[in-house]
Amino acid sequence: MNESTTPRPYRSYVYAYPHKTAYRALPAPPSLGALWAEEPKDALSLYAHIPFCEVRCGFCNLFTRIGAPDELTTRYLDALDRQAAAVRDALGDSAPVRFATAAFGGGTPTFLTAAELERLCDIAEKRTGVDLRAVPLSVETSPATATADRLALLAERGATRLSIGVQSFVEAEARAAVRPQRRADVEAALGRIRDTGVPVLNIDLIYGIDGQTERSWRASLDAALAWRPEELYLYPLYVRPLTGLGRISPAADREWDEQRLRLYRYGRDHLRAQGYEQVSMRMFRRTDAAPLGPDDYACQTDGMIGLGCGARSYTSALHYSFDYAVDMREIRSIIDAYTETEDFSRAEVGRWVDAGEARRRHLLQSLLQAEGMEAAGYEERFGSSPFADFPAELARFEAFGWLDGDAPEGLLRLSPEGLAHSDGLGPELFSPEVRAAMAAYEPK
């Protein structure tokens, strides 16, 4: 296959579909009660978004701001409480409401004090009804905010997974990524996390940083492995508009693509040799790690309840959220508006998902997992074959060598090279309408 015809490997980090830049203000905002009336509610996922950080990393385009002056965290939690109550009211009582999994993300949830984290847990439990001690609960943290009192509170309230963004154990690389930190502080934070006894530690690392080599990448990998984390996420560096690096770095080119692919393959092979299984392009799990317990949430089909102004919610017909921005002034304005909102009974921003988009989402989110997708399950849900629905796309993937020709019959699975190109493959499944909406989006 000619290189010029192969999609570039790092086009877009795809973790949800439709992409958030395809969302728009809804002309006639529907009520949450109407949206959720006929939805299955027996295996929901709860996500609470905390949009605060102590610093903003150079690569970050997440919805977050630095600091929280004038009791902003208190006002934010007040609004989160109002939103959670409105959401639970919308879910109703005509059918059992059960949450199968929960997560606190951001931003940095542990930017909140221990007392504020306790209030966050209380809001989740008392307003929505989730039992945080009975479901998998994942919480994101950072080296600077992973303090003993915060971590102890999270462990006591049922956290089963703590995820820490280290990015690099090499201080010069951390500075190059506009992520100033001392390795000693990182190691101390990891020690405090292990002291909690929370069963799953996840460490995030980034490859493709300016000046990074196989040798320095190996040093970060080995530093992480010394803690025997149950999970490791390996993220390619992206340079995005309006971020710190986006203001100073040139656009990605083929040479950088090759560097990232080379480092990805090195990291993948090193982790597999150290007893980790590959779950997706980014995620690696230690093969002897104990299971987390019951988790019957399926991202392809089950609903998501998002709390906070950076969170998204999913029904079968509509994906919705609040306004999105990257520029710090815009983010501050959106957060302020959220804290002043009294009525959370309607979906204001989102994108409707028809049957065709639901097929694309199911295929995309299944195919990007290393285990692949059983064609029979797709056919049972949609009454058609993925090969009939997406003949051109799957033919291209096969031509690129991205499909596993040795997969068992009926299993659609990516080859190792297909997994490596997940960020090029995913956008190939976007519909023309979603592509057009994303292209028309103006970053702010």
Side-chain angles (χ1 to χ4, degrees):
M1 182 62 59
N2 188 294
E3 182 184 78
S4 64
T5 66
T6 306
R8 294 182 64 176
Y10 299 104
R11 294 171 64 191
S12 176
Y13 172 21
V14 180
Y15 61 93
Y17 181 80
H19 195 273
K20 58 180 175 283
T21 56
Y23 289 17
R24 294 293 185 273
L26 298 168
S31 73
L32 300 190
L35 282 174
W36 285 98
E38 303 301 323
E39 294 289 311
K41 294 181 276 283
D42 59 343
L44 297 172
S45 176
L46 178 70
Y47 174 73
H49 182 262
I50 305 300
F52 307 111
C53 288
E54 73 278 8
V55 297
R56 188 171 175 88
C57 303
F59 50 83
C60 179
N61 75 333
L62 298 177
F63 188 90
T64 185
R65 60 161 291 165
I66 301 170
D70 304 321
E71 298 185 336
L72 181 56
T73 54
T74 298
R75 289 185 283 117
Y76 186 83
L77 289 173
D78 289 345
L80 198 77
D81 197 352
R82 295 193 296 273
Q83 185 192 2
V87 168
R88 183 60 188 86
D89 184 61
L91 292 176
D93 296 309
S94 61
V97 175
R98 185 182 73 88
F99 288 88
T101 181
F104 301 155
T108 309
T110 49
F111 179 91
L112 300 178
T113 65
E116 289 171 332
L117 285 169
E118 183 159 35
R119 186 182 178 198
L120 175 63
C121 293
D122 285 343
I123 290 170
E125 292 198 329
K126 296 176 182 178
R127 293 301 190 197
T128 70
V130 63
D131 184 350
L132 295 178
R133 294 180 179 86
V135 301
L137 170 61
S138 177
V139 184
E140 297 174 8
T141 188
S142 68
T145 62
T147 58
D149 60 335
R150 292 176 171 106
L151 297 175
L153 181 281
L154 291 170
E156 193 277 326
R157 293 303 294 260
T160 55
R161 179 180 182 269
L162 293 172
S163 177
I164 183 168
V166 173
Q167 319 315 351
S168 177
F169 284 85
V170 180
E171 291 184 12
E173 290 180 1
R175 288 194 298 272
V178 195
R179 168 78 182 221
Q181 62 188 18
R182 295 172 57 246
R183 177 166 174 175
D185 295 336
V186 172
E187 300 280 358
L190 287 165
R192 291 191 294 272
I193 291 173
R194 278 307 196 198
D195 287 343
T196 66
V198 169
V200 174
L201 163 64
N202 173 71
I203 298 176
D204 289 344
L205 297 176
I206 284 181
Y207 56 92
I209 300 170
D210 187 33
Q212 192 174 45
T213 64
E214 282 90 340
R215 182 175 180 179
S216 66
W217 181 224
R218 169 73 178 262
S220 275
L221 291 166
D222 285 344
L225 288 168
W227 290 96
R228 297 278 293 156
E230 284 70 27
E231 295 176 4
L232 274 159
Y233 272 71
L234 308 185
Y235 288 96
L237 180 65
Y238 276 93
V239 172
R240 300 175 172 99
L242 304 183
T243 63
L245 290 178
R247 296 184 178 97
I248 62 176
S249 297
D253 55 24
R254 288 284 180 180
E255 184 177 347
W256 192 30
D257 285 348
E258 288 304 316
Q259 180 212 17
R260 286 179 287 180
L261 274 175
R262 185 171 65 251
L263 293 173
Y264 158 79
R265 292 177 178 129
Y266 186 95
R268 174 198 64 193
D269 294 346
H270 188 55
L271 292 186
R272 292 178 66 179
Q274 296 298 315
Y276 286 76
E277 64 174 331
Q278 186 168 16
V279 179
S280 68
M281 173 191 173
R282 290 168 172 76
M283 182 183 177
F284 295 81
R285 179 184 293 128
R286 215 177 72 209
T287 53
D288 63 346
L292 273 179
D295 179 4
D296 53 356
Y297 177 78
C299 65
Q300 298 94 332
T301 56
D302 292 328
M304 165 82 79
I305 296 293
L307 301 178
C309 58
R312 288 185 276 182
S313 298
Y314 304 146
T315 70
S316 59
L318 179 71
H319 292 189
Y320 62 94
S321 64
F322 297 89
D323 199 7
Y324 170 74
V326 176
D327 181 78
M328 193 63 70
R329 289 169 298 181
E330 296 284 349
I331 290 174
R332 286 196 293 263
S333 176
I334 294 170
I335 293 173
D336 287 343
Y338 175 82
T339 64
E340 295 167 4
T341 299
E342 295 293 335
D343 183 2
F344 287 100
S345 66
R346 294 185 177 274
E348 303 285 346
V349 176
R351 187 168 187 87
W352 295 100
V353 178
D354 62 18
E357 296 289 19
R359 285 172 163 81
R360 289 182 182 276
R361 180 173 185 257
H362 188 106
L363 178 61
L364 187 154
Q365 293 193 300
S366 301
L367 201 55
L368 294 184
Q369 299 297 307
E371 65 183 6
M373 183 188 79
E374 294 284 355
Y378 179 99
E379 292 168 5
E380 181 179 355
R381 180 181 180 193
F382 297 110
S384 58
S385 162
F387 299 98
D389 290 343
F390 301 98
E393 292 91 339
L394 293 176
R396 282 202 302 275
F397 297 164
E398 185 174 20
F400 296 151
W402 291 351
L403 297 183
D404 184 359
D406 295 326
E409 185 175 356
L411 180 65
L412 192 56
R413 184 171 67 191
L414 296 183
S415 65
E417 198 61 16
L419 276 176
H421 286 78
S422 291
D423 285 2
L425 183 152
E428 290 288 297
L429 289 171
F430 292 2
S431 71
E433 295 78 13
V434 165
R435 291 172 191 263
M438 292 172 63
Y441 175 79
E442 295 184 5
K444 61 180 183 179

